[in-house]
Each structure stands twice: as structure tokens, then as C-alpha cells.
Amino acid sequence: MNIPDMYSYLVRARRELWGALEAVPDEVLARPLLGGERFHCIKDLLFHITVVEDSWLHEDIEQNEPVLMRMPALKDTTGGPEYAGFPLSTLLDYWRTVEQSTLGYLDTLTDGELERAVRLHDAPEQCYTVRGLLWHVMLHEVRHTAQIAVLLRTQGIKPPALDLLWFLPNC
């Protein structure tokens, strides 16, 4: 599977996840279910998934301003456990905007771009290929959406089927 195909799967799986989350009571999405410094609730994880894609793509790969800076409701947040009070629609609007930007970028991918070395904006001593960073971002999302599915189950809510198998063409 190549990067555009994997991202296409994520886009389709997101639609299932977003639709399911829109049917979940806000009190469940905002409920503190996790300990730790940064993620306490499902909404915290939603923001985290999105901001990771946004920052890796824009700040590191493209060396541009992240989409977050164009989102007035979110641009001054810290990334910590502060998203429980945000409407789900605000978080999903941010994710949709990042997704559109990523899709535009993926349309321009070449083999040379995939092999280009990228020094991290906040750790210039670290260097990765665009290919490696894009795979990191996509697998990061898979792991955290699985975490969200488990959290939904702990609240008695059946999560959507997000496994790749459900999105593969049938032969």
C-alpha cells in the first residue's frame, strides 16, 4: 500500500468515526477518561490527532504556518487537556481543513519529494524523509483512533468498524 492509498483509507474511516462521534452525547466526549498531562477525554485525542498531522505536514515538511493558526477558536490553545469544552463541530472543522490541505499536498507527491530529507523545526538535529514522516502521521492516527474506539466501548457505545479490511475492495 502506498501513501495516497493509505491516506484515502484514513479519509473514509474518518467519515465513519466522525459520524459515530456526532451521535455520541457531548458529555461522553468531554468526560475525563484518561489520566496524564495532555489527554483526558476523547475531544483531547481528536485535537491531538489533527494537530499532529497539521504540524508535521505544514511546519516540518512544507515549512509553512500550520492550519491551526487560521482557526480562531483553537489557535491560542496549548495542546493540553482543554478541549472538553469545545463543540465537537469546531474540532471536526479543524480536522476537515487539515485533511483538505493534506490531500492537496499528496496530489503533488513525487518520488523525489518522498525521499527529500526534512529537518524538524523544533529539533533540527533530527532528520527524516518525507516518506517516513507521512507514514508516521498516518500510523499515529490509526493508533489514536483505536484508542478512541476503546474509550467509546468503556462508555457502553459501539464504535464504528475502522479496520482496513472493511475498506478494501472485494475481489
Side-chain angles (χ1 to χ4, degrees):
M1 180 170 275
N2 63 37
I3 288 170
D5 288 345
M6 178 66 174
Y7 197 79
S8 176
Y9 149 67
L10 290 177
V11 166
R12 290 179 291 148
R14 287 173 187 170
R15 296 308 178 274
E16 297 295 320
L17 179 63
W18 296 348
L21 293 174
E22 289 171 330
V24 173
D26 190 68
E27 64 193 34
V28 173
L29 299 176
R31 185 174 292 150
L33 301 171
L34 300 167
E37 287 184 32
R38 294 176 47 210
F39 315 127
H40 292 178
C41 66
I42 291 171
K43 286 182 178 180
D44 290 340
L45 289 170
L46 293 174
F47 177 81
H48 175 68
I49 292 166
T50 309
V51 79
V52 164
E53 180 175 332
D54 187 14
S55 62
W56 282 106
L57 176 64
H58 295 99
E59 289 183 288
D60 292 305
I61 294 173
E62 293 187 315
Q63 297 179 341
N64 288 327
E65 181 178 77
V67 169
L68 180 64
M69 294 299 107
R70 299 190 307 270
M71 307 299 291
L74 297 169
K75 74 177 191 167
D76 294 324
T77 60
T78 65
E82 61 192 297
Y83 303 96
F86 283 87
L88 176 63
S89 61
T90 299
L91 299 171
L92 295 183
D93 285 346
Y94 173 39
W95 205 346
R96 285 182 189 99
T97 305
V98 170
E99 179 184 276
Q100 287 306 306
S101 183
T102 300
L103 287 167
Y105 171 76
L106 293 178
D107 282 344
T108 70
L109 271 184
T110 63
D111 289 338
E113 173 68 358
L114 285 169
E115 299 312 317
R116 180 172 60 86
V118 174
R119 295 218 173 265
L120 305 185
H121 78 281
D122 57 351
E125 70 283 358
Q126 295 182 34
C127 184
Y128 303 96
T129 64
V130 168
R131 179 187 312 277
L133 293 177
L134 291 174
W135 277 109
H136 164 70
V137 166
M138 293 184 296
L139 292 173
H140 174 268
E141 178 175 338
V142 169
R143 289 179 177 191
H144 280 305
T145 54
Q147 187 178 15
I148 290 169
V150 169
L151 291 174
L152 289 171
R153 283 195 191 281
T154 68
Q155 302 305 296
I157 298 167
K158 183 181 178 186
L162 302 176
D163 288 340
L164 176 63
L165 179 66
W166 307 119
F167 298 89
L168 290 174
N170 209 346
C171 39

